[in-house]
Amino acid sequence: MRVGIHFANFTLQGPPDTLAQTLATTAKTAEDGGVSVFTLMDHWFQMEMLATSEDPMLEGYTSLGFLAGQTTTMTLGLLVTGVTYRHPGLLAKIVTTLDILSGGRAQLGIGAAWYEREHLGLGVPFPPLAERFERLEETLQICHQMWSDDNGPYKGTHYQLAETICSPPPISRPHPPVLIGGSGERKTLRFVARYGDACNLFAITPAGVAHKLEVLDRHCDAEGRDPATITRTILAMNNPLDDPDGFVASMAEYAELGIDIVEVMPIGDPVAFTTEFCERVVPDLAQLGP
């Protein structure tokens, strides 16, 4: 089982000018310790269930561009971009830029968006949920077209692009992997089967994740898609350092279900957490799976 670090909390000790060094050191520590994926949240306000909306939050793709220059091997992405945050043509160009500057290490993580307060706060339209899913599907289509040989127009219900030029193209082939976040059985997992290269689920329980994966497999059958071509990832919600052996044992159950990657969120000092996590947990997780 491969491992990711999800750096979600920028409320750290020290003034703002120390954030860059802390973020860079955490990423380098993770990479040196065997971590495969490094992700950030994509929010403008901090999530209220984690801290307060007034707590620090850095813009996601600017931060990933900074990390591209600090690391050499880890996949870099956002978990996940809200479809409402950036026009899809610009989003494809942003991810392409990250892919080129990182040497082919970008991942597009995307979902339907949910945090209404930050939209209202910064004056960004926040359409109803059904429309956000319509926009999500069109965005996925636009990104795929931008990363193809088709430079022609795109005409959708919500987005119309006269030209889908993306030059230079991404380094990743056939394109940066597309991870779709969320567990909705009717739309989200269907989009994974139709457009995605990876899914991300909350590690609620092994039984709950097993059910979601069964739904995904059914959507793959309907789409004529080989389920084995989709990377299956989870976000662990507990602190693995509270009980490292117990955490590895629980992850073994997910590995048996076919989970390829588990992401964990640093608690407290992110450098200290990542150092200990890489020393005490990562080697054991690497032994899980086929």
Side-chain angles (χ1 to χ4, degrees):
M1 178 180 277
R2 291 185 288 149
V3 180
I5 290 289
H6 182 51
F7 195 109
N9 195 344
F10 291 93
T11 305
L12 306 171
Q13 292 184 349
D17 60 7
T18 64
L19 271 174
Q21 186 59 54
T22 300
L23 182 58
T25 303
T26 303
K28 292 174 184 176
T29 300
E31 188 167 75
D32 291 343
V35 170
S36 300
V37 181
F38 198 92
T39 62
L40 307 174
M41 289 201 298
D42 196 17
H43 285 296
W44 306 312
F45 294 174
Q46 175 59 268
M47 297 191 305
E48 293 166 322
M49 69 278 290
L50 186 61
T52 74
S53 55
E54 289 82 12
D55 279 302
M57 176 55 61
L58 298 183
E59 195 281 320
Y61 279 109
T62 307
S63 301
L64 290 179
F66 168 73
L67 290 175
Q70 305 291 322
T71 58
T72 59
T73 62
M74 292 188 300
T75 297
L76 302 173
L78 299 181
L79 197 64
V80 291
T81 286
V83 69
T84 50
Y85 294 171
R86 299 167 188 84
H87 189 283
L90 298 180
L91 176 63
K93 186 67 175 178
I94 290 167
V95 176
T96 299
T97 300
L98 176 64
D99 194 63
I100 290 169
L101 297 181
S102 67
R105 296 186 289 124
Q107 172 180 271
L108 169 60
I110 193 165
W114 61 270
Y115 197 177
E116 184 175 20
R117 178 175 177 173
E118 64 185 358
H119 289 76
L120 297 177
L122 298 185
V124 177
F126 187 70
L129 181 60
E131 181 179 327
R132 299 202 305 276
F133 272 104
E134 292 171 1
R135 289 177 178 270
L136 176 58
E137 183 163 27
E138 290 191 14
T139 295
L140 290 163
Q141 293 170 353
I142 289 167
C143 286
H144 277 284
Q145 183 167 326
M146 292 275 289
W147 292 332
S148 74
D149 293 331
D150 182 359
N151 291 338
Y154 175 88
K155 298 184 184 299
T157 300
H158 302 285
Y159 303 110
Q160 295 81 42
L161 284 69
E163 299 177 275
T164 51
I165 296 171
C166 188
S167 180
I171 293 175
S172 299
R173 289 291 180 265
H175 53 71
V178 176
L179 178 149
I180 300 173
S183 59
E185 298 181 12
R186 189 167 63 90
K187 292 183 179 180
T188 303
L189 294 177
R190 176 167 55 85
F191 288 173
V192 174
R194 182 172 296 176
Y195 303 106
D197 302 293
C199 66
N200 182 259
L201 304 169
F202 289 119
I204 38 175
T205 64
V209 169
H211 170 71
K212 298 297 182 181
L213 294 178
E214 289 169 0
V215 173
L216 175 59
D217 287 348
R218 291 199 295 271
H219 283 304
C220 286
D221 288 343
E223 295 289 336
R225 176 83 181 271
D226 179 0
T229 62
I230 296 174
T231 301
R232 294 148 191 256
T233 79
I234 55 173
L235 179 63
M237 306 308 294
N238 56 324
N239 183 353
L241 298 182
D242 286 342
D243 178 9
D245 291 341
F247 181 80
V248 172
S250 67
M251 289 303 108
E253 297 185 64
Y254 290 104
E256 288 294 322
L257 298 175
I259 295 298
D260 302 292
I261 299 172
V262 56
E263 293 214 37
V264 303
M265 294 183 287
I267 306 297
D269 179 344
V271 176
F273 172 94
T274 303
T275 299
E276 185 176 358
F277 175 69
C278 289
E279 290 175 351
R280 301 181 61 189
V281 183
V282 171
D284 291 332
L285 291 176
Q287 303 303 312
L288 302 179

